[in-house]
């Protein structure tokens, strides 16, 4: 048995009780588990501070002195321990809120200690909450003068003898047991040489006990690379296997439908980006593999028509196609525009959603099964079991991030034994680093160009005292024949309150824009679908001037004549949502505006979000900013996946390492798909041991 697989309780200083604590609190079961639990930061313990020189900005300090007093105050949960610590330059208060009982017994008044903690100011008085205390002359005191690791911990661990310094002692004990042979190399020697990496053993040793910044960097670089590289290797392997295993329908010809549409119907010239993406898709569809492609394109970049043209390729080859959208409104809009596009081409397009019932529904389902319907457009009603195609060749999902993984996976089963080609479209720009990870096994196409003639949307930030001017501006735009959106946030926890907001907002707007001169639509999630559609339709047809809505209009709605987007309580929206909302205007030839209303008081993050929106219209830039502000775990659609739970890599910072890792992984697999060459044996061994975690991920779409 490898030493690393030894149960953690056998480590010197652990034993059964602490072993169980490590299991429960941190999920550490073996030596390896402890080893893989990296410090989350390091403290410079190479120097001592003097109490007389401390101030509230001193941050983390190490002090040497004598504990002068110790007393506990308060009762029960309010109980805390107060101490006074003194060196030759002055004294400072120490305070503990947990572990009081234990500390009271462990600490000794009059004894000399080396302490470490963060200086805090409370009512003008300096103190140090929860300092680490180490008797100055005891064993382990050398540790005070190094770069010391700090591990993620819990109150329980801290109070039950596994505090920061105990954890350090355990790591030391572990490394006394380990030899280089226990931690074999997992990268090919040529890569280790190429990047001047430390060996794997050294990297792990140095991540826990670096002598200085330089050693720490070297260890970090290697471990980050390793983590990203093996994930990419695994994802790319899955993709290759899928391509080998699943035969795709071959769409050989570009036929009558496609050509006639292109020549007779397409009302504009495609952008270069649209053409490029169509070529990429065409190549997939003709190659005998099953396409599994993500199409990314900023709002308004023209994804719908690309989707339609792909469906026409399917039709030209005798297959059916479908397009699924996340909301009734959007699905309806796709249905309308696509029906119009293909008018006169002898193509039967049908619409299906939960609202299509009874005889109508039965008719559609039968025609679909017979193959009389060529294109089916709808909501998630499409994935119900009762919906059966004769031969579905292409399934498109619009705004894919709105669907769950399982919902999307169901489309795969609509044409067994072979799944249809799959195209998922999204306007939520995902930073490249995330896309490479989340969709590492998907092919990605990007429309990175807007149709010509669009004017950049002008975005401004306004507060309540500008209200009258904003209303005046709306009036001017409406007088020019334009339409206006006013959007309110709707967050589930406070749904009732938000609806009230919306209702009050609606009434305020009505007072400013009274009928019959002005007409207003109102749409929110609690309305019946039919009412929603009615209101929406009036706005689409230009019968109403203002659309007051919650974020139900966020996705995909297209009204080119709308030129003003007013967003209320902007601080309550996330960046990607704001960007989506703004994308509802600027769809026609007119200059468009986005007005971000907010309160005066804003959190730092709220202010940064608004500033980002004002600064740029570029969805990818916004996505990058979002990633930096919120971290990868919070980007829409990534939460459940767990794939982003890295030990050490950080996608918001390690884009370059990821890029290198991905390119290398690709090159290696192109060269040696089964990793059979001797120099790749370490890779193969390591993947077999640790790669299983990623199983099943291939069917994200
Ligand atoms: P999105 O990518 O956000 O789904 P849409 O497909 O709704 O964008 O397209 C937005 C608008 O741009 C539509 O009105 C569409 O007709 C128009 N459009 C798409 N491609 C072009 C193009 N190449 N030239 C001009 N207009 C285009
Ligand atoms: Mg769209």
């Amino acid at each position: 048995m490898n030493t690393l697989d030894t149960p953690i309780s056998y480590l010197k200083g652990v034993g059964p009780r602490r072993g169980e604590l490590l299991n429960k609190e941190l999920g550490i079961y073996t030596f390896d588990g402890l080893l893989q639990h990296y410090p989350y930061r390091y403290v410079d313990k190479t120097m001592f501070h003097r109490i007389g020189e401390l101030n509230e900005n001193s941050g983390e300090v190490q002090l040497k002195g004598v504990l002068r007093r110790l007393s506990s105050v308060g009762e029960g949960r309010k109980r805390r321990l107060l101490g006074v610590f003194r060196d030759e330059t002055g004294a400072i208060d120490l305070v503990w809120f947990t572990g009081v009982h234990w500390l009271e017994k462990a600490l000794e008044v009059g004894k000399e200690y080396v302490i470490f903690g963060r200086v805090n100011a409370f009512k003008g008085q300096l103190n140090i909450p929860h300092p680490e205390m180490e008797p100055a002359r005891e064993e382990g005191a050398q540790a005070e003068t190094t770069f010391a690791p700090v591990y993620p911990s819990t109150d329980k661990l801290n109070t039950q003898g596994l505090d920061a310094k105990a954890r350090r002692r355990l790591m030391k004990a572990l490394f006394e047991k380990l030899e280089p042979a226990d931690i074999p190399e997992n990268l090919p020697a040529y890569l280790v040489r190429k990047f001047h990496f430390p060996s794997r053993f050294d990297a792990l040793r140095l991540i826990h006990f670096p002598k200085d910044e330089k050693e720490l960097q070297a260890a970090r670089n290697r471990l980050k690379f390793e983590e990203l590289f093996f994930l990419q290797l695994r994802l790319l392997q899955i993709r290759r296997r899928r391509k080998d295993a699943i035969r795709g329908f071959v769409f050989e010809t570009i036929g009558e439908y496609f050509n006639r549409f292109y020549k007779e119907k397409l009302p504009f010239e495609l952008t270069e980006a649209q053409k490029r993406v169509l070529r990429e898709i065409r190549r997939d569809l003709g190659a005998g593999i099953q396409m599994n492609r993500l199409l990314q394109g900023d709002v308004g970049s023209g994804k719908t028509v690309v989707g339609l043209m792909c469906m026409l390729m399917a039709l030209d080859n005798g297959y059916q196609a479908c397009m699924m959208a996340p909301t009734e409104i959007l699905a309806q809009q796709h249905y309308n525009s696509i029906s119009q596009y293909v008018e006169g081409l002898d193509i039967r397009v049908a619409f299906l959603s939960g609202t299509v019932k009874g005889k109508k529904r039965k008719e559609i389902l039968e025609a679909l099964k017979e193959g009389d319907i060529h294109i089916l457009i709808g909501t998630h009603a499409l994935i119900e079991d009762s919906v059966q195609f004769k031969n579905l060749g292409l399934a498109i999902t619009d705004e894919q991030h709105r669907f769950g993984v399982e919902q999307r996976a169901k489309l795969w089963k609509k044409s067994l034994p072979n799944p249809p080609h799959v195209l998922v479209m999204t306007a939520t720009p995902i930073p490249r680093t995330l896309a490479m990870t989340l969709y590492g096994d998907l092919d990605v196409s990007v429309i990175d160009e807007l149709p010509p003639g669009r004017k950049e949307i002008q975005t401004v930030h306004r507060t309540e005292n500008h209200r009258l001017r904003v209303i005046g501006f709306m009036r001017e735009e409406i007088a020019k024949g334009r339409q206006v959106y006013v959007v309110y946030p709707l967050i589930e926890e406070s749904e009732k309150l938000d609806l009230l907001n919306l209702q009050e907002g609606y009434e305020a707007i009505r007072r400013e824009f009274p009928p019959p001169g002005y007409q207003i639509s109102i749409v929110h999630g609690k309305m019946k679908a039919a009412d929603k559609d009615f209101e929406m339709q009036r706005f689409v047809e230009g019968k109403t001037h203002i659309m007051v809505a919650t974020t139900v209009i966020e996705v995909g709605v297209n009204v080119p004549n709308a030129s003003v987007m007013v967003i209320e309580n902007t601080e309550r929206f996330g960046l990607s949502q704001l960007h989506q909302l703004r994308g509802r205007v600027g769809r026609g030839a007119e200059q468009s505006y986005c007005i971000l209303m907010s309160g005066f008081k804003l959190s730092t993050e709220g202010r940064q979000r608004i500033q980002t929106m004002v600064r740029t219209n570029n969805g990818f830039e916004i996505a990058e900013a979002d990633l930096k502000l919120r971290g990868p775990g919070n980007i829409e659609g990534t939460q459940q996946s767990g794939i982003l739970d890295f030990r050490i890599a950080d996608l918001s910072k390690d884009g370059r390492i990821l890029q290198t890792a991905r390119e290398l992984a690709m090159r290696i697999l192109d060269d040696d798909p089964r990793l059979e060459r001797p120099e790749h044996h370490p890779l193969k061994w390591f993947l077999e041991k640790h790669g299983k975690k990623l199983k099943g991920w291939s069917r994200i779409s």
Side-chain angles (χ1 to χ4, degrees), residues 89-109:
T89 65
I92 189 166
D93 293 340
L94 311 178
V95 56
W96 292 268
F97 300 97
T98 54
V100 173
H101 185 65
W102 185 79
L103 283 161
E104 213 172 7
K105 276 194 282 184
L107 295 175
E108 232 177 277
V109 175

Side-chain angles (χ1 to χ4, degrees), residues 266-272 274 297-306 330 333-334 337 341 398-399 425-427 447 450-452 454 556-558 560 583-584 587:
L266 190 62
F268 40 70
E269 176 80 6
L270 293 176
T271 62
E272 284 310 311
Q274 284 171 317
D298 214 338
V299 275
S301 61
K303 294 183 293 295
T304 316
V305 76
V306 170
L330 185 57
Q333 197 164 62
H334 281 328
S337 65
Y341 271 139
D398 195 19
E399 305 297 345
M425 309 201 290
T426 181
I447 305 185
L450 293 181
R454 298 263 172 85
V557 176
N558 190 27
R584 297 308 107 216
R587 303 192 141 232

Side-chain angles (χ1 to χ4, degrees), residues 650-661:
D650 176 351
L651 290 184
S652 59
K653 299 196 189 107
D654 299 329
R656 292 242 313 273
I657 303 181
L658 174 61
Q659 182 73 34
T660 311

Side-chain angles (χ1 to χ4, degrees), residues 70 72 107 157 271 444 489 541 557 571 595 600 629 679:
L70 201 60
S72 74
L107 295 175
L157 290 172
T271 62
V444 180
E541 287 167 10
V557 176
E571 66 273 25
I595 301 171
F600 294 104
L629 281 177
E679 69 265 31

